[in-house]
Amino acid sequence: MKKKAKLYIARKLPEPIEQMLASFFIVKSNPSEDLESKEEFLRNIEGITALVTDSRVKVDEEVMNAAGPQLRVISNYAAGFNNIDVAAATKKGIAVTNTPGAVNNATADIAWALMFGIARRVAEGDRLIRTGEPWNWSPSFFLGRDFTGKTLGIIGAGRIGMSMAKRACGFDMEIIYADGRVNEQLEKELGAKRVDLETLLKEADYISIHTPLTPETRHLISEKEFAMMKPTSILINTSRGPVVDEQALVEALKTRTIWGAGLDVFENEPYVNQELFKLDNVVMTPHIGTATPDARRDMAIMAAQNILDIMEGKTPVGIVNREVLNR
């Protein structure tokens, strides 16, 4: 490995990533957590061999050309990779990596937090208490939804979906999943059943989305899909905002086509559809699914290790376009 190769970190990230890479690269980084201007970014990446990005840093063919022909790897500090033009990178022989596994527990935890929050009306109850207005308990006061014995439908049964399902076992929930591939571990260890998407939408009491954003999954859940769901169902999205048609979701919540939703991601982040603010049957968090010290540290270490593996001719755990390794 050439020690004088240049590497650029597009936004300030946890220290382990720079510490791991400094021994092998001339490391330059954006010292701020804010995004640089496009012009500044393009200047800073000239001549680099490796680039570290995150989900807010858009990497298209223009960026790759600005870096130069020696660019070998783009390491995304995220579980997703929809911010990178993977097809363009593959065509140029540039490896693209992400950080699967490092975010499993934190993301599953936030999904469950949102499920509890909306099902048991936690945020709504908090708002009521803070008004200072008197309230009186009654048998029908603030009724929410049960978990025990209900059906959890998981869309996208990868690592995070698996972590989600494991937590459901503590509530004796029936687990069904929709995925293009069979998850034998999920079925053997947790008794989950693979179904098609339509069946999942019709049968699940809770629907949790864990699929990556691709052209095929954009607006995977829209007006037609909401119409299939139970009026008592709850939708949770901690994957990527555009997987759900946000305006269709607003209408489904307003008309009580579904009972509620928990959202950590939004279609046009950081903008959020203003109509959601008026609804009590939605709980929202600002894309904090991986926001724990352990998860962020593990993501940084994996992002760094992915680069080192590429430079050493190894196969990274987080390789996205595996075909470039065979060139």
Side-chain angles (χ1 to χ4, degrees):
M1 183 187 302
K2 295 180 180 179
K3 290 190 175 183
K4 295 300 181 181
K6 296 180 181 179
L7 176 144
Y8 189 68
I9 300 174
R11 284 213 296 170
K12 182 177 175 61
L13 295 176
E15 286 186 7
I17 196 165
E18 292 199 35
Q19 293 172 350
M20 287 181 67
L21 295 168
S23 298
F24 304 97
F25 293 92
I26 298 173
V27 177
K28 184 179 179 181
S29 64
N30 173 6
S32 172
E33 291 192 351
D34 295 326
L35 292 172
E36 301 170 297
S37 68
K38 184 69 173 286
E39 295 75 17
E40 188 176 9
F41 179 47
L42 294 179
R43 284 197 306 271
N44 283 328
I45 64 174
E46 185 177 349
I48 62 171
T49 297
L51 173 63
V52 181
T53 58
D54 64 28
S55 59
R56 286 188 62 200
V57 180
K58 303 300 181 185
V59 182
D60 54 19
E61 193 164 6
E62 180 186 6
V63 171
M64 298 174 204
N65 289 338
Q70 74 295 320
L71 180 62
R72 289 185 59 188
V73 55
I74 301 166
S75 179
N76 212 34
Y77 176 80
F81 47 86
N82 55 289
N83 57 304
I84 300 171
D85 186 338
V86 177
T90 302
K91 185 177 179 181
K92 293 175 177 293
I94 302 168
V96 176
T97 66
N98 63 341
T99 58
V103 302
N104 295 356
N105 288 322
T107 306
D109 286 347
I110 198 71
W112 271 93
L114 290 167
M115 281 176 59
F116 276 112
I118 191 63
R120 296 307 307 270
R121 303 173 69 176
V122 174
E124 190 181 352
D126 180 78
R127 289 192 295 270
L128 173 64
I129 293 291
R130 291 175 187 274
T131 65
E133 296 294 323
W135 49 274
N136 293 300
W137 184 93
S138 70
S140 61
F141 180 65
F142 251 73
L143 293 182
R145 311 303 307 174
D146 290 310
F147 289 93
T148 303
K150 301 301 180 181
T151 299
L152 172 64
I154 297 172
I155 300 176
R159 294 177 177 90
I160 298 172
M162 184 76 179
S163 295
M164 190 74 186
K166 287 179 179 178
R167 287 153 175 75
C169 292
F171 294 94
D172 295 324
M173 298 182 83
E174 180 181 349
I175 301 166
I176 57 178
Y177 73 96
D179 197 293
R181 293 178 293 182
V182 174
N183 187 324
E184 294 183 0
Q185 183 183 6
L186 187 58
E187 295 184 6
K188 290 179 181 179
E189 294 184 8
L190 305 181
K193 181 174 68 173
R194 181 171 174 250
V195 298
D196 58 40
L197 180 60
E198 182 174 342
T199 299
L200 184 147
L201 296 173
K202 290 178 177 178
E203 295 185 359
D205 299 295
Y206 296 89
I207 299 168
S208 192
I209 302 173
H210 301 285
T211 185
L213 176 61
T214 66
E216 293 73 30
T217 62
R218 183 176 292 273
H219 284 193
L220 181 69
I221 306 299
S222 193
E223 182 179 2
K224 181 182 74 172
E225 288 72 31
F226 284 118
M228 297 179 188
M229 298 180 193
K230 297 178 181 181
T232 54
S233 67
I234 289 174
L235 178 73
I236 305 297
N237 189 11
T238 57
S239 61
R240 287 292 183 265
V243 175
V244 176
D245 181 338
E246 204 162 277
Q247 188 56 47
L249 171 62
V250 167
E251 294 304 317
L253 292 170
K254 286 170 65 175
T255 59
R256 301 285 170 166
T257 300
I258 64 173
W259 199 83
L263 308 173
D264 185 50
V265 291
F266 302 89
E267 188 164 358
N268 298 296
E269 293 180 15
Y271 171 81
V272 177
N273 190 312
Q274 300 289 297
E275 293 183 75
L276 288 170
F277 299 158
K278 306 171 187 177
L279 302 173
D280 280 332
N281 57 339
V282 60
V283 171
M284 299 175 283
T285 49
H287 203 148
I288 56 173
T290 64
T292 71
D294 287 352
R296 294 287 167 84
R297 179 202 63 225
D298 292 347
M299 289 168 66
I301 292 171
M302 183 175 288
Q305 189 61 54
N306 283 337
I307 292 174
L308 298 179
D309 286 344
I310 288 293
M311 300 300 290
E312 293 172 354
K314 300 176 182 177
T315 301
V317 172
I319 187 67
V320 172
N321 53 348
R322 186 177 294 269
E323 55 267 43
V324 303
L325 301 181
N326 300 321
R327 295 181 182 179

